[in-house]
Amino acid sequence: NSLHIRMTYKNIDFAEKNIKDHEFENCTFEDCHFVKANLTAVAFMDCKFKNCDFVIPILVNTGIKSCDFYGCKFMGVDFSDCSNFFFSPSFQDCMINSCGFEGNKMSKTEFYYCKIRETTFINCDLSESRFDNSEFQRTNFQNCQLQKSDFTDALGYTINPFINKLKGARFSLPEAQSFLYFLDIEVE
């Protein structure tokens, strides 16, 4: 059966498994491993993921609609292959490392207490998103819509104000001083 409703999966190793074309609705995944799992055309709707590992999964046309990720680790995940029609994740206390978001429509996305490392956001709609207490390191924002996004409690971000749309976005000092780098000036 490819339809799964209100199921709980604990300590399941989906590593290198082919579970494409399945639908998961209102399901909970705890301590599961999705290492190189083939999730092509899988639909996750209103699901919760707790302490799960995602390492280089295949996400071609994967739907992630209204899904919450808590304490999860993402390594080498290419979210740009996901279905934009069904893409509305939220992340709390997650490690997002060497991942790619390109062309994702993810306005109002929540990144709470996340560590975002060596990740790219290219041509993404992140308007009205929140990055509360999240830490960035070598993360690139390029041609993103960041209007009304909130970075006031975020650390370590470097955002080029000339190639991203920032109208109404919120930042705080001293982190906002990173904008000076792009002005090619010296402040003493």
Side-chain angles (χ1 to χ4, degrees):
N1 186 6
S2 63
L3 177 62
H4 313 275
I5 300 174
R6 287 184 290 283
M7 300 289 296
T8 298
Y9 301 91
K10 290 185 179 183
N11 298 309
I12 304 293
D13 190 356
F14 293 102
E16 300 187 30
K17 299 285 190 250
N18 185 350
I19 52 177
K20 65 182 192 175
D21 296 318
H22 282 249
E23 279 185 51
F24 297 90
E25 187 173 333
N26 289 306
C27 292
T28 300
F29 297 84
E30 293 183 34
D31 300 303
C32 293
H33 303 282
F34 295 90
V35 178
K36 296 183 181 177
N38 186 348
L39 303 175
T40 299
V42 171
F44 294 105
M45 295 173 287
D46 300 306
C47 292
K48 296 193 182 331
F49 296 84
K50 299 174 184 176
N51 303 312
C52 294
D53 295 331
F54 294 85
V55 180
I56 321 171
I58 299 169
L59 298 176
V60 177
N61 292 321
T62 302
I64 300 174
K65 184 172 175 145
S66 300
C67 291
D68 300 320
F69 296 90
Y70 302 96
C72 294
K73 294 177 185 171
F74 299 90
M75 177 71 114
V77 178
D78 187 0
F79 289 100
S80 63
D81 288 335
C82 289
S83 167
N84 262 330
F85 185 68
F86 288 107
F87 194 73
S88 54
S90 71
F91 304 93
Q92 184 171 331
D93 199 29
C94 291
M95 171 63 83
I96 302 170
N97 198 343
S98 301
C99 294
F101 295 86
E102 185 172 348
N104 294 98
K105 293 180 174 114
M106 46 197 301
S107 63
K108 299 182 181 177
T109 299
E110 298 171 344
F111 293 86
Y112 293 154
Y113 295 91
C114 292
K115 291 182 183 350
I116 305 170
R117 309 269 194 267
E118 298 179 9
T119 292
T120 57
F121 293 92
I122 300 173
N123 298 318
C124 291
D125 180 357
L126 286 159
S127 56
E128 298 183 60
S129 293
R130 299 186 59 93
F131 298 89
D132 295 10
N133 295 295
S134 288
E135 296 177 26
F136 293 90
Q137 187 176 52
R138 293 184 302 275
T139 292
N140 182 27
F141 291 90
Q142 185 176 337
N143 298 319
C144 290
Q145 296 177 32
L146 297 168
Q147 300 96 323
K148 297 183 181 178
S149 289
D150 191 343
F151 288 85
T152 53
D153 294 322
L155 300 170
Y157 55 81
T158 303
I159 301 171
N160 186 334
F162 298 113
I163 63 170
N164 294 285
K165 295 179 181 174
L166 301 176
K167 187 174 183 176
R170 299 182 63 215
F171 302 94
S172 62
L173 292 172
E175 296 300 313
Q177 291 174 337
S178 67
F179 296 136
L180 296 175
Y181 170 80
F182 298 100
L183 297 174
D184 196 26
I185 62 173
E186 291 184 31
V187 178
E188 294 183 19

